[in-house]
Amino acid sequence: MISDGFVLKRIVDELSSLEGAKLRQIYQYGKSDIYLYFQNAVVRICLEPSLAHICYTEKEDFSDHRPSNFVLLLRTKLRNARVRKVCQVSLDRVMFFEFDKIDEIGNRHFYRLYIEFFGSHCNVIFVENDIIIDALRSVLTVSRRIQKGEIYRSINEKLNPLEVTYNDFSFDEQAKISQVLSQEFFGFSKYIIRELLNRANLQDKLACDLFTEERESLKHSFFSLINDFERGKTYVYEFEEKFLITTIPLKTLPFKNLSEHSNISNAIDDIYKIVLLKKEVDNFKARLIKCVQDKVKKSEKILNTLEEELLACRKAEEYHKYGELLKYAQEKKDLHKSVNVMDYNTGQMTLVPLVDGKGVKESSQYYFALYKKLKEKSEILKTRIKRETLFLNYAEQLMHTLELAEDLETLQEIEQEMAQQGLIKEKTVFRKSKSKPEFKKIVYEGFTILVGKNNKQNEKLVRISNKNDIWLHVHEMPGAHVVIKTNGQTVPRKILEFAAATAAYHSKARFSSKVPVDYTPIKNVHKPKGSPPGMVLYTNYETIFANPNLLKTSGSYPF
């Protein structure tokens, strides 16, 4: 989230209020988050590349989390140390806390905790007298050595754009403008460079090829960015389903401006919680989907085996016929592999194989016994095949509800359903959310339309609805149950078409343009005894063809 040096500068300015405060405790959450607990504030350092940031946050209980050896070292050295200063290295994506600590024997130490926000190379480095005591991550490259006992050095030296005067701004390089800005100045991300070029109305070309007017335009745009930064605002944008936090308004880029803040820590903390929750939802969903997929693979394998065995049972009638034919055949003293007998149904002689080592009568008895065994097995196989087929239909619907689930509460309800159906063990079920999952609700042209977000909600929706409410579902395909609350009114065609489009949108046919949707009063819908959640039978229905895109064009699309 710290995309450039300007953002870090704003954060460091906020964190400077910690100067003089005592560090009470240090915690670690996961592999990438370190929490610094001060007297009256909590600071989170996140080093995960896609979320890298530092900001004020709220106090939480991490006492049950096991810290790394690095954090244990920081606890030993820095607990009860006082913050002398909080600084940024020029306008680079590097900052440090300087601590003042008197140890147990009375010696005074000045420690620095450097935090580097370099994408996949984010790091926290503990330093005293410019010597590295330890680091969260060791780095051994041609250009840098971050290791115990090494001297800590900054990566390179560039100009701080906040210290450049209007008269001093000039460059004439054999490189493109974007390269000059990123190589000569701290703080510029690719987005800020694009904004600068757009404001100057320039293409990214060699700096030495700029005309006088273009140089003036570039200079003017450069300082307009600085002026915007000094207004002290923070902006949150959305781009390609990702969040971007800047301290300079991106006026010329096609990003969606979500919000404007005067407190950067609040902005970062809010986005962090949103992204973290989304990751938790995605990971939770992925685990449940994998569980269903594994069960489906196992069930499909069992079903194939059962169908092969049932196919073999089809010979039962043939064995019964052999037994009948041999029952009246004449016993022969010399045993052969087969015997020629009269088939009274056709009036023709038929060759019937004998069982190895058995005579005519014994073979007849054997065939009757085998017939009975295969008939009994066939009935058992049919029952098991029906059960496995029912499960696969249920699993297809369950998978659909999982794919559409967008919040933790809905997923927890699905997980509870899976536990009740024996798909997962009860002990693996997540703690229940405090908030109660609700149906999706749409009010359209005065009518309320409810949509079930999972199988349990689908079942509950049918159970609590009035018998004259209209129930809709895509024809013979996984999808949500949709109910139009009629309140005793006749449902106009327009409402029916919209509700059908809603059912189509919340089904496996979401991306089709013509989806068959069945509808009928709730009184014609019932749940078969012993069937899985959300599985229903319905009668006296009609079918309407719906277009899911109608939701977006209607202006009442709430999702």
Side-chain angles (χ1 to χ4, degrees):
M1 281 194 282
I2 293 184
S3 56
D4 56 60
F6 292 101
V7 171
L8 186 57
K9 166 67 174 169
R10 184 65 43 76
I11 298 169
V12 169
D13 288 345
E14 278 191 3
L15 295 176
S16 63
S17 63
L18 290 169
E19 292 177 2
K22 272 192 175 182
L23 180 61
R24 295 303 189 189
Q25 187 55 285
I26 305 170
Y27 294 104
Q28 184 170 0
Y29 179 76
K31 294 182 179 179
S32 303
D33 287 10
I34 295 174
Y35 286 77
L36 306 179
Y37 275 53
F38 294 92
Q39 288 168 301
N40 300 308
V42 179
V43 173
R44 179 179 57 242
I45 304 168
C46 177
L47 301 176
E48 185 178 339
S50 62
L51 291 172
H53 67 271
I54 181 170
C55 69
Y56 284 119
T57 187
E58 298 172 355
K59 185 177 181 180
E60 294 186 50
D61 183 13
F62 297 114
S63 56
D64 60 336
H65 289 264
R66 186 172 179 177
S68 63
N69 290 335
F70 176 70
V71 170
L72 289 174
L73 172 67
L74 294 183
R75 286 182 178 181
T76 303
K77 299 289 187 179
L78 294 180
R79 194 153 43 189
N80 293 321
R82 195 175 296 276
V83 179
R84 290 187 72 206
K85 56 184 176 181
V86 184
C87 295
Q88 182 179 13
V89 177
S90 187
L91 203 69
D92 200 2
R93 287 172 294 165
V94 180
M95 63 163 291
F96 64 86
F97 291 92
E98 186 167 288
F99 294 95
D100 182 356
K101 173 74 180 289
I102 297 176
D103 64 21
E104 294 80 0
I105 60 174
N107 293 328
R108 193 168 195 172
H109 300 269
F110 294 105
Y111 297 114
R112 283 190 176 185
L113 192 66
Y114 283 91
I115 307 155
E116 299 181 344
F117 296 100
F118 296 138
S120 59
H121 302 290
C122 292
N123 208 350
V124 177
I125 305 158
F126 188 39
V127 174
E128 183 180 16
N129 298 325
D130 294 331
I131 303 298
I132 298 173
I133 300 174
D134 203 355
L136 187 64
R137 296 164 183 162
S138 295
V139 178
L140 292 174
T141 64
V142 176
S143 58
R144 295 197 83 195
R145 295 178 66 86
I146 304 298
Q147 206 174 32
K148 292 180 183 179
E150 296 287 339
I151 298 173
Y152 178 81
R153 294 185 176 89
S154 298
I155 294 178
N156 51 36
E157 289 298 327
K158 300 180 185 179
L159 295 173
N160 185 340
L162 299 178
E163 297 174 356
V164 176
T165 65
Y166 193 85
N167 292 330
D168 291 338
F169 180 82
S170 65
F171 51 81
D172 190 8
E173 305 278 348
Q174 294 292 330
K176 288 187 173 182
I177 301 170
S178 60
Q179 293 173 325
V180 175
L181 289 169
S182 62
Q183 293 170 7
E184 297 294 328
F185 295 93
F186 279 127
F188 283 93
S189 66
K190 60 181 181 180
Y191 301 114
I192 301 299
I193 291 173
R194 282 171 58 188
E195 175 72 15
L196 174 57
L197 289 171
N198 286 348
R199 289 191 186 190
N201 197 24
L202 290 173
Q203 297 294 321
D204 190 13
K205 61 180 180 179
L206 293 175
C208 58
D209 290 341
L210 290 171
F211 296 115
T212 303
E213 296 82 0
E214 291 175 327
R215 291 178 186 277
E216 285 301 313
S217 179
L218 184 63
K219 181 189 290 190
H220 177 78
S221 297
F222 181 94
F223 286 99
S224 75
L225 292 180
I226 303 302
N227 289 336
D228 283 342
F229 168 75
E230 290 174 346
R231 288 193 175 100
K233 297 291 184 181
T234 299
Y235 308 89
V236 178
Y237 294 91
E238 186 180 6
F239 176 65
E240 295 179 350
E241 297 185 351
K242 294 181 181 179
F243 296 105
L244 177 66
I245 295 177
T246 77
T247 51
I248 295 170
L250 304 178
K251 301 173 181 177
T252 66
L253 299 183
F255 297 165
K256 183 180 179 182
N257 190 350
L258 297 181
S259 56
E260 182 179 314
H261 304 260
S262 55
N263 184 301
I264 192 167
S265 282
N266 288 347
I268 290 174
D269 200 37
D270 289 347
I271 296 302
Y272 174 77
K273 289 173 181 175
I274 290 171
V275 174
L276 207 63
L277 180 60
K278 186 178 184 303
K279 282 194 171 188
E280 185 180 357
V281 168
D282 290 344
N283 292 337
F284 191 7
K285 181 190 291 190
R287 284 195 293 272
L288 295 183
I289 285 176
K290 181 159 190 320
C291 176
V292 176
Q293 288 174 335
D294 290 344
K295 296 290 184 183
V296 165
K297 285 181 182 178
K298 184 177 179 181
S299 181
E300 287 175 340
K301 189 175 180 179
I302 292 171
L303 187 60
N304 288 336
T305 302
L306 293 175
E307 287 175 341
E308 288 174 2
E309 291 182 15
L310 183 62
L311 190 63
C313 288
R314 290 182 180 177
K315 294 195 72 175
E317 295 300 330
E318 185 178 351
Y319 293 139
H320 183 266
K321 183 178 180 181
Y322 287 167
E324 287 289 342
L325 293 175
L326 291 175
K327 188 165 63 171
Y328 303 105
Q330 185 177 358
E331 185 72 53
K332 294 185 177 182
K333 292 182 180 180
D334 52 331
L335 298 178
H336 297 279
K337 291 184 178 180
S338 60
V339 61
N340 209 18
V341 298
M342 172 67 73
D343 186 343
Y344 294 101
N345 292 323
T346 63
Q348 297 179 351
M349 298 300 291
T350 303
L351 199 64
V352 178
L354 297 177
V355 180
D356 288 344
K358 296 183 185 294
V360 173
K361 298 302 179 186
E362 290 174 318
S363 292
S364 175
Q365 292 169 358
Y366 177 82
Y367 282 131
F368 279 127
L370 186 56
Y371 163 76
K372 182 181 179 182
K373 180 181 178 181
L374 289 178
K375 289 295 285 185
E376 291 174 351
K377 183 179 179 181
S378 176
E379 292 305 313
I380 295 171
L381 288 172
K382 287 176 182 178
T383 301
R384 291 186 64 190
I385 287 172
K386 184 178 179 181
R387 186 167 66 240
E388 294 299 331
T389 302
L390 185 65
F391 168 75
L392 288 174
N393 291 335
Y394 166 67
E396 187 179 13
Q397 172 67 24
L398 183 63
M399 187 70 78
H400 171 72
T401 61
L402 279 169
E403 289 169 350
L404 291 186
E406 298 173 345
D407 56 78
L408 200 59
E409 293 77 18
T410 300
L411 286 169
Q412 286 171 334
E413 200 170 44
I414 294 173
E415 185 190 40
Q416 186 182 31
E417 172 193 336
M418 290 172 64
Q420 291 169 349
Q421 295 300 309
L423 298 179
I424 53 177
K425 295 180 180 179
E426 289 281 353
K427 65 179 181 180
T428 65
V429 177
F430 277 41
R431 64 186 183 277
K432 255 197 163 183
S433 173
K434 293 180 181 179
S435 55
K436 189 177 180 182
E438 296 292 341
F439 306 119
K440 284 185 178 179
K441 181 179 178 181
I442 313 168
V443 177
Y444 182 70
E445 300 283 335
F447 281 83
T448 298
I449 298 170
L450 300 178
V451 184
K453 293 191 284 186
N454 54 53
N455 287 327
K456 291 189 75 174
Q457 286 194 14
N458 287 338
E459 190 168 288
K460 182 179 178 181
L461 190 56
V462 173
R463 188 172 65 250
I464 67 172
S465 295
N466 186 282
K467 65 179 182 178
N468 292 318
D469 291 340
I470 303 299
W471 176 89
L472 303 96
H473 193 284
V474 288
H475 183 72
E476 296 183 351
M477 198 179 302
H481 292 215
V482 176
V483 169
I484 305 172
K485 305 298 289 182
T486 62
N487 295 321
Q489 303 176 64
T490 302
V491 178
R493 182 73 179 183
K494 184 178 180 181
I495 306 300
L496 191 63
E497 289 175 349
F498 181 84
T502 303
Y505 180 83
H506 291 90
S507 76
K508 211 168 184 180
R510 172 181 287 195
F511 301 105
S512 301
S513 59
K514 195 175 183 182
V515 182
V517 177
D518 298 335
Y519 66 95
T520 187
I522 285 284
K523 62 184 178 183
N524 297 327
V525 182
H526 69 278
K527 175 180 171 62
K529 187 176 180 180
S531 63
M535 304 289 280
V536 297
L537 295 176
Y538 53 97
T539 57
N540 301 325
Y541 65 90
E542 295 182 59
T543 302
I544 184 174
F545 286 88
N547 184 352
N549 289 323
L550 178 64
L551 288 172
K552 296 179 180 179
T553 58
S554 69
S556 299
Y557 181 68
F559 311 119

